[in-house]
Amino acid sequence: MNKKQKKMLVRILLAAAFMIGLHFIEIEGWYRFIAYMIPYLIVGYDILIKAGKGILNHQVFDECFLMAVATLGAIALAIYDNGDYTEAIAVMLFYQIGELFQSYAVGKSRRNISDLMDIRPDYANIENNGTLEKVDPDEVEIGSVIVVQPGEKVPIDGIVLEGNSSLNTSALTGESLPRDIKAGDAIISGCINMSGVLKIKTTKEFDESTASKILDLVENASSRKSRSEAFISRFARIYTPAVCYSALALTILPPIVRMLGMNLDPEWHVWMYRALTFLVISCPCALVISIPLSFFAGIGGASKAGVLVKGSNYLETLSKTKIVVFDKTGTLTQGVFEVSGIHHNQIENDKLIEIAALAESASSHPISKSLQRAYHHEIDRSRVKDIQEISGHGIVAKVDGQDVLIGNTRLMEKYHIPYKECHHTGTILHMAINGQYAGHIVISDMLKPTSLKAMQALKSCGIEKLVMLTGDIKKVADSIGQKLGLDAVYSNLLPGDKVEKVEELLSSKPEHAKLAFVGDGINDAPVLSRADIGIAMGAMGSDAAIEAADIVLMDDDPMQIPKAIKISKKCLRIVYENIVFAIGVKLICLLLGALGLTNMWIAIFADVGVMVIAVLNAIRALFVNKL
């Protein structure tokens, strides 16, 4: 509890003790009134002040006004009837208990989010004359060299100059698996250095670093309200004045009808008591508090799982998603090319890879890199001469004095080398040595291990159509689509073509269904922006992802996508439960109150009790571990 909450708890306990003590003391007349006003003012003075300020500011109709009118009216009736003041004090007492509980629940949600997003560094280490000097991260300029010791947070994005270590990225990804890092690797702020000392050259200012952008995203999420939240806000503005006027009508009209039309005792005090009970019941606290809290907790729970949601409106849209469209590279596949097949012609596999790696040693192309990795040995560049890269064809070189050709079918045809057709899926590199066909190597962009499981999970959580858009050739795209059980695959697409295809899917989908696009957030920014909901995947350190997408998945595991959808569905289910429960209970109690079948104690339950139950239900959105 914070200081304010502790002060309120003391006031509640003190007022309760006074109220209970007065039951054992016999006091008559005005002394009795004054005695009971002590606990009433102890627990409710701030409500009365807020109600007064609201009247002066012409913002009359809020819960403080309802509580003030209801309790002061109950006190007036107790004076008139020489009755009990306990009900008025109890209404104010239990209302404040509910407010304290709500304040604590919101505080707990904020603390949970703060804990799981505790990535803002307090300082950066600058080496000065052999000693480390702690400085404010804001003061570190781009290109500075900082030192991160074991156990410290990485304060600013940069490149590792010296050192090897493992990084704890759980605050960013929600996963506890450490990430190994070495000299030359890019490193992002918010990670915790677990082992070795790292020297890092900064590539961004502190305000532009990943940690700052993520914190800003989470802190501003509440500014983008969902339709449910907006509805509740509008509902409260109309509902509160309506019940106030209804209570006034309940006070005046029945007595007048009884007096003029039926010649009966108007029973003013009876109808006033009913009207005051009606006011207590009608307080919209449960809705006004629990609905935003549900979304706040949902965003917090998602953040803990490495799913950053930019606003509750996006959480609501995600829950209605029926079509998910994927980019291929880096989303469903690893985005890292690997040798998946070797087919030789009178030459050993290892020898074919060795010659290919040497011939491709001067190239930085991803396919060349995959051949160099497959060789598993250090490349001796002195063995390679006369390297010539023929655009759109491949490479010609001398390896150990032998003429080597490595490339596509056009290269073979250019040099009149008879080659064997290959029907394997992937990029085919044909090779010839000294004018003789030597075989071919298949290079593939491998599927992520969890891609198939993720597609199955999406189907099981209500997704009706899975689509893949890719610039890759049809043969490769169709093969991946078949392996993953996708409903539609579109290949050979440029970035502009992807936008057009998403436009087609949006125009042909059912009106109620929402379309989500999942991409890497860099090349797919136009599509991310055009879809109903844009999801950037594996976006650790990607500025474009954080800027373009509505939801950012900090891990590149495809299983994060169904998890995000399940989180959104759970959050919206809790929101609807609270709306139905709160309105349902209040309508029943309002009707019973108008008929005189309830008293102030039932009214307290309809207000405070319903609010506490709704808040407890809302907090469930924080817990997503079992999804």
Side-chain angles (χ1 to χ4, degrees):
M1 281 191 177
N2 59 33
K3 188 176 180 180
K4 185 178 179 181
Q5 291 167 345
K6 289 177 181 177
K7 183 180 177 182
M8 176 54 70
L9 180 60
V10 170
R11 286 172 56 196
I12 289 169
L13 294 175
L14 195 60
F18 256 101
M19 188 174 71
I20 294 169
L22 288 172
H23 276 283
F24 300 98
I25 303 173
E26 290 188 10
I27 309 174
E28 297 298 333
W30 286 105
Y31 292 108
R32 183 166 176 271
F33 168 76
I34 293 170
Y36 273 95
M37 286 305 96
I38 293 173
Y40 174 77
L41 292 174
I42 287 173
V43 77
Y45 74 86
D46 54 334
I47 300 299
L48 299 177
I49 292 171
K50 288 177 185 176
K53 286 181 178 178
I55 294 170
L56 292 174
N57 295 328
H58 306 290
Q59 295 177 341
V60 177
F61 300 110
D62 60 11
E63 59 268 24
C64 291
F65 176 78
L66 296 182
M67 287 297 107
V69 171
T71 54
L72 291 173
I75 289 169
L77 287 177
I79 294 172
Y80 176 79
D81 289 339
N82 195 25
D84 193 358
Y85 297 98
T86 306
E87 282 187 340
I89 299 170
V91 168
M92 193 65 83
L93 183 69
F94 281 103
Y95 175 77
Q96 292 285 42
I97 291 173
E99 287 291 294
L100 175 63
F101 185 85
Q102 176 261 332
S103 173
Y104 180 76
V106 171
K108 181 176 176 59
S109 298
R110 289 189 184 278
R111 282 193 303 276
N112 282 347
I113 291 177
S114 297
D115 290 344
L116 61 91
M117 294 302 294
D118 186 21
I119 57 178
R120 189 187 296 279
D122 300 317
Y123 60 88
N125 295 318
I126 299 286
E127 194 169 4
N128 190 5
N129 295 325
T131 60
L132 292 183
E133 179 184 346
K134 291 184 179 180
V135 300
D136 191 314
D138 279 321
E139 299 175 5
V140 179
E141 297 179 353
I142 295 175
S144 301
V145 177
I146 60 175
V147 178
V148 181
Q149 301 181 99
E152 292 183 334
K153 295 172 193 167
V154 177
I156 304 171
D157 295 8
I159 302 291
V160 178
L161 296 178
E162 295 179 22
N164 297 282
S165 184
S166 293
L167 300 178
N168 181 346
T169 63
S170 60
L172 297 173
T173 66
E175 299 294 333
S176 58
L177 190 66
R179 173 186 167 197
D180 293 329
I181 199 158
K182 63 184 183 303
D185 290 344
I187 190 169
I188 62 172
S189 52
C191 303
I192 297 174
N193 183 17
M194 296 173 63
S195 50
V197 176
L198 296 174
K199 282 192 176 182
I200 300 167
K201 184 177 182 180
T202 61
T203 55
K204 295 180 183 177
E205 292 182 346
F206 175 68
D207 288 342
E208 295 299 316
S209 288
T210 303
S212 295
K213 284 182 174 289
I214 292 169
L215 287 167
D216 182 64
L217 184 156
V218 175
E219 287 165 3
N220 291 314
S222 60
S223 65
R224 298 180 176 91
K225 295 187 180 297
S226 67
R227 291 179 62 187
S228 300
E229 283 183 281
F231 163 75
I232 292 302
S233 298
R234 293 194 301 271
F235 173 80
R237 285 198 296 269
I238 298 168
Y239 169 83
T240 308
V243 297
C244 287
Y245 291 128
S246 299
L248 184 63
L250 191 61
T251 304
I252 297 172
L253 295 180
I256 291 176
V257 170
R258 286 175 62 87
M259 184 171 58
L260 298 178
M262 305 172 69
N263 260 345
L264 297 173
D265 180 3
E267 298 181 338
W268 290 100
H269 64 288
V270 172
W271 290 99
M272 185 176 288
Y273 182 82
R274 290 187 186 184
L276 295 173
T277 303
F278 186 90
L279 280 179
V280 175
I281 294 169
S282 67
C283 189
C285 298
L287 287 173
V288 173
I289 291 168
S290 69
I291 304 309
L293 180 60
S294 299
F295 281 110
F296 186 76
I299 290 172
S303 298
K304 185 176 182 179
V307 179
L308 304 186
V309 184
K310 289 188 175 180
S312 55
N313 54 332
Y314 302 125
L315 205 60
E316 188 170 38
T317 302
L318 184 62
S319 71
K320 299 174 182 177
T321 297
K322 295 297 179 185
I323 303 169
V324 180
V325 181
F326 296 91
D327 174 47
K328 178 181 76 71
T329 306
T331 303
L332 298 175
T333 64
Q334 296 176 22
V336 178
F337 290 92
E338 293 183 5
V339 173
S340 59
I342 303 171
H343 305 273
H344 58 83
N345 186 19
Q346 297 181 344
I347 187 172
E348 293 181 358
N349 285 0
D350 291 345
K351 189 64 178 177
L352 196 68
I353 284 289
E354 180 182 359
I355 295 171
L358 288 166
E360 296 272 3
S361 61
S363 175
S364 60
H365 192 281
I367 289 177
S368 301
K369 293 293 184 185
S370 69
L371 289 170
Q372 293 165 36
R373 284 194 302 272
Y375 178 42
H376 298 304
H377 298 284
E378 189 173 344
I379 292 176
D380 182 0
R381 295 284 294 273
S382 65
R383 296 170 61 188
V384 191
K385 295 180 181 178
D386 301 333
I387 299 175
Q388 180 187 0
E389 186 167 348
I390 303 175
S391 180
H393 291 71
I395 286 179
V396 178
K398 278 189 179 294
V399 178
D400 295 332
Q402 301 179 93
D403 293 323
V404 175
L405 304 176
I406 178 168
N408 55 28
T409 55
R410 288 195 293 268
L411 183 67
M412 296 296 108
E413 290 167 357
K414 179 179 176 66
Y415 285 87
H416 308 291
I417 305 294
Y419 61 90
K420 293 181 180 178
E421 290 287 348
C422 177
H423 301 289
H424 293 86
T425 302
T427 300
I428 310 301
L429 295 178
H430 294 280
M431 288 185 63
I433 300 173
N434 292 330
Q436 298 295 316
Y437 187 69
H440 57 262
I441 299 171
V442 183
I443 308 289
S444 301
D445 184 6
M446 308 301 287
L447 280 173
K448 290 182 179 177
T450 57
S451 288
L452 177 58
K453 187 178 177 182
M455 299 305 104
Q456 294 168 342
L458 284 169
K459 286 286 188 181
S460 68
C461 65
I463 300 302
E464 296 172 358
K465 189 173 184 179
L466 298 173
V467 181
M468 185 178 76
L469 308 181
T470 178
D472 212 336
I473 61 173
K474 188 176 190 309
K475 181 180 177 182
V476 174
D478 289 345
S479 173
I480 289 174
Q482 189 174 9
K483 288 177 183 176
L484 297 180
L486 303 180
D487 299 299
V489 174
Y490 301 96
S491 54
N492 293 309
L493 300 177
L494 298 172
D497 299 329
K498 291 182 180 180
V499 176
E500 290 180 11
K501 189 57 65 177
V502 167
E503 294 275 7
E504 288 179 22
L505 292 167
L506 285 168
S507 61
S508 62
K509 70 179 177 62
E511 188 177 346
H512 70 281
K514 298 297 181 182
L515 182 147
F517 179 82
V518 187
D520 62 14
I522 299 171
N523 301 320
D524 299 309
V527 202
L528 285 165
S529 301
R530 182 60 192 91
D532 291 321
I533 192 87
I535 304 174
M537 187 172 179
M540 287 180 62
S542 170
D543 293 340
I546 294 174
E547 293 296 332
D550 306 314
I551 294 174
V552 181
L553 308 181
M554 297 308 294
D555 195 0
D556 64 356
D557 184 353
M559 284 302 294
Q560 289 289 81
I561 304 165
K563 179 182 280 190
I565 293 174
K566 288 178 182 178
I567 289 169
S568 69
K569 287 179 179 290
K570 178 182 178 180
C571 181
L572 266 292
R573 186 168 61 249
I574 289 171
V575 167
Y576 295 144
E577 287 170 357
N578 282 346
I579 291 174
V580 172
F581 173 68
I583 293 178
V585 171
K586 282 192 180 292
L587 287 176
I588 293 169
C589 291
L590 284 172
L591 179 62
L592 294 176
L595 297 174
L597 300 177
T598 59
N599 56 25
M600 282 285 184
W601 296 102
I602 298 296
I604 290 169
F605 167 75
D607 176 29
V608 179
V610 169
M611 181 182 73
V612 169
I613 293 171
V615 167
L616 280 172
N617 193 39
I619 290 176
R620 289 197 302 118
L622 268 174
F623 306 105
V624 300
N625 293 337
K626 295 182 180 179
L627 290 176

